[in-house]
Amino acid sequence: QQQQQPLSPASAVRQWGHLLAPFEQCEMLSFEQVWFVGKPTETGGAELNHGYDDSRGDYITVPGDHIAFRYEIIGGLGRGSFGQASLGVLRCQDHAIGQAVALKIIRNKKRFQKQAAVEASILAVLREQDPDDSVNIVRTYSSFTFRQAKLGHLCITFELLSINLYEYIKACNFQGSSLVMIRRVAQQVVATLRFLFRLNIVHCDLKPENILLRERGKTTVKVIDFGSSCYVDQRLWLRSRPMQVILGLPYGPPIDMWSLGCILAELLTGQPIFPAGEDEKEQLACIMELLGPPPRSLLETAPRANLFFDSGTWAPLACPPNSRGKTHRPSSRLSYPPTFLQRCLHWEPQQRMTPEEALQHPWI
């Protein structure tokens, strides 16, 4: 089933057609080369996309099966943007180049395909603008559509990296990391953000899970998952609810600097600096508990401020205890030390450091 050199589709059908479903035999003829066939699989009688999709539009993956008659599915690597099962990331063997890759396969639904197409185009620009692979962004190899019934599944292949920073924090028993390691991560991610800033691209979903170590035991990292990214003049619906989105304010590159501050704080302490709230009101209360209330000048321009603040005094509305009985009360002053992190965690976006300013900061 594995070939040193590819077969023509006609030759592959003659040699391996007995392993394929009738749909696959016809499908194979649309490919220029066949590198891998895989083991026979049952489609389970499902009606969606010739039985290859589940009811949600996710592709049903089976270890040992093929993707596009080139990639052998080894197993899963995790889930990316758009929710629990909207897209999967697979570990695959690319038989054309003889190495393991990560393969993201997008849900067969219009909304997810549309945003994934934006991601693929941004990744192509990033690769073109970084030919030397020097700005710590995951390397993409290819993108293509597979099983094209109606929309099909957009697939993007990437270099295979190591664990993400959340897994690293977990491996440290949530006790925090050394300042040497944190500074090394900061230097690399700020360089990435400077590169994105110059291209007018906003990542929009920076978090520990989206920064991966290149190798175990090393401190070199790469930024992944541009599934929520956009250009500065675009606005997309964000599944995550950062402060600016909760208040209804426009967002841009400063949103990534805020996220960087949160990531570095979590690396330092082993815990999220702003625990995830059960709703938007509690999320804002968690932020105010540390940073104090936002300035009035910001609230006066925020379309959704009246949901969380008194429209006359701009005082925070009371946040009831959550399901665990925890109550968050705004601090009257900034309780975080005036460091690199504070320059990232300003309420007002224009007061945050730019990536260029961050690279000039004495700590960096």
Side-chain angles (χ1 to χ4, degrees):
Q1 297 174 37
Q2 178 181 348
Q3 301 293 329
Q4 292 289 330
Q5 297 294 327
L7 293 177
S8 68
S11 297
V13 168
R14 285 195 300 270
Q15 189 169 349
W16 304 109
H18 63 284
L19 297 177
L20 305 175
F23 171 80
E24 286 185 298
Q25 294 184 32
C26 296
E27 178 187 49
M28 180 181 283
L29 296 176
S30 67
F31 285 79
E32 293 183 2
Q33 297 177 322
V34 175
W35 291 90
F36 180 78
V37 173
K39 63 184 182 181
T41 58
E42 297 292 335
T43 61
E47 297 181 359
L48 296 177
N49 201 6
H50 300 277
Y52 293 104
D53 292 357
D54 65 18
S55 60
R56 295 166 56 90
D58 291 315
Y59 187 71
I60 302 170
T61 58
V62 179
D65 198 8
H66 72 90
I67 299 287
F69 300 102
R70 170 172 171 172
Y71 303 95
E72 177 183 0
I73 299 173
I74 306 300
L77 285 173
R79 295 285 172 182
S81 302
F82 310 120
Q84 286 297 314
S86 54
L87 59 84
V89 183
L90 304 172
R91 181 189 179 99
C92 294
Q93 180 70 17
D94 182 349
H95 287 282
I97 61 176
Q99 70 181 49
V101 299
L103 187 149
K104 178 186 284 189
I105 183 163
I106 311 297
R107 180 184 288 178
N108 189 1
K109 296 291 184 181
K110 185 174 182 179
R111 177 165 70 91
F112 302 106
Q113 294 283 324
K114 182 178 179 180
Q115 176 54 25
V118 174
E119 177 184 13
S121 68
I122 287 176
L123 287 168
V125 170
L126 297 178
R127 182 182 174 92
E128 178 183 344
Q129 295 296 318
D130 179 31
D132 300 326
D133 191 18
S134 61
V135 293
N136 316 309
I137 292 173
V138 65
R139 206 69 172 159
T140 56
Y141 296 138
S142 65
S143 62
F144 56 91
T145 301
F146 181 53
R147 296 268 145 94
Q148 299 188 49
K150 295 185 178 179
L151 292 173
H153 293 276
L154 179 62
C155 300
I156 309 173
T157 62
F158 306 87
E159 64 179 319
L160 198 61
L161 300 169
S162 186
I163 62 172
N164 64 50
L165 287 187
Y166 175 77
E167 293 168 323
Y168 173 84
I169 293 168
K170 183 178 179 181
C172 295
N173 297 316
F174 302 101
Q175 297 300 307
S177 306
S178 72
L179 279 174
V180 173
M181 191 274 183
I182 297 169
R183 182 184 292 111
R184 182 76 180 107
V185 169
Q187 290 167 338
Q188 295 171 83
V189 177
V190 169
T192 302
L193 294 182
R194 179 177 62 176
F195 177 72
L196 296 178
F197 185 87
R198 290 173 174 174
L199 295 175
N200 291 318
I201 293 172
V202 190
H203 186 282
C204 296
D205 196 25
L206 273 184
K207 55 188 177 182
E209 292 86 345
N210 285 341
I211 301 175
L212 271 58
L213 300 179
R214 297 193 190 204
E215 300 177 57
R216 278 185 178 270
K218 305 289 186 180
T219 57
T220 51
V221 298
K222 283 199 167 188
V223 175
I224 69 162
D225 199 348
F226 287 78
S228 297
S229 301
C230 64
Y231 289 96
V232 170
D233 59 352
Q234 296 175 322
R235 290 294 180 270
L236 301 174
W237 181 87
L238 297 181
R239 183 173 178 270
S240 61
R241 307 303 284 169
M243 174 273 296
Q244 287 167 244
V245 175
I246 292 175
L247 292 175
L249 292 164
Y251 60 88
I255 202 174
D256 288 339
M257 290 303 296
W258 175 280
S259 298
L260 174 63
C262 295
I263 292 166
L264 298 181
E266 189 167 347
L267 282 171
L268 180 65
T269 66
Q271 302 295 327
I273 185 172
F274 306 124
E278 294 180 355
D279 55 30
E280 292 181 331
K281 182 175 286 189
E282 187 185 10
Q283 189 63 63
L284 275 180
C286 290
I287 299 173
M288 290 189 290
E289 193 171 43
L290 189 64
L291 301 184
R296 180 169 184 157
S297 59
L298 182 75
L299 295 178
E300 288 175 341
T301 63
R304 304 182 77 232
N306 64 322
L307 298 176
F308 313 102
F309 300 87
D310 183 279
S311 57
T313 65
W314 297 112
L317 299 177
C319 182
N322 62 22
S323 61
R324 301 181 301 279
K326 172 70 173 176
T327 301
H328 301 276
R329 294 182 174 85
S331 171
S332 60
R333 59 182 178 83
L334 176 65
S335 56
Y336 215 77
T339 61
F340 183 90
L341 293 186
Q342 186 180 333
R343 297 290 310 279
C344 296
L345 298 176
H346 271 283
W347 277 106
E348 296 181 280
Q350 65 270 24
Q351 296 298 320
R352 296 174 205 155
M353 288 186 294
T354 65
E356 188 66 51
E357 291 169 340
L359 285 172
Q360 303 306 317
H361 191 281
W363 183 68
I364 291 291

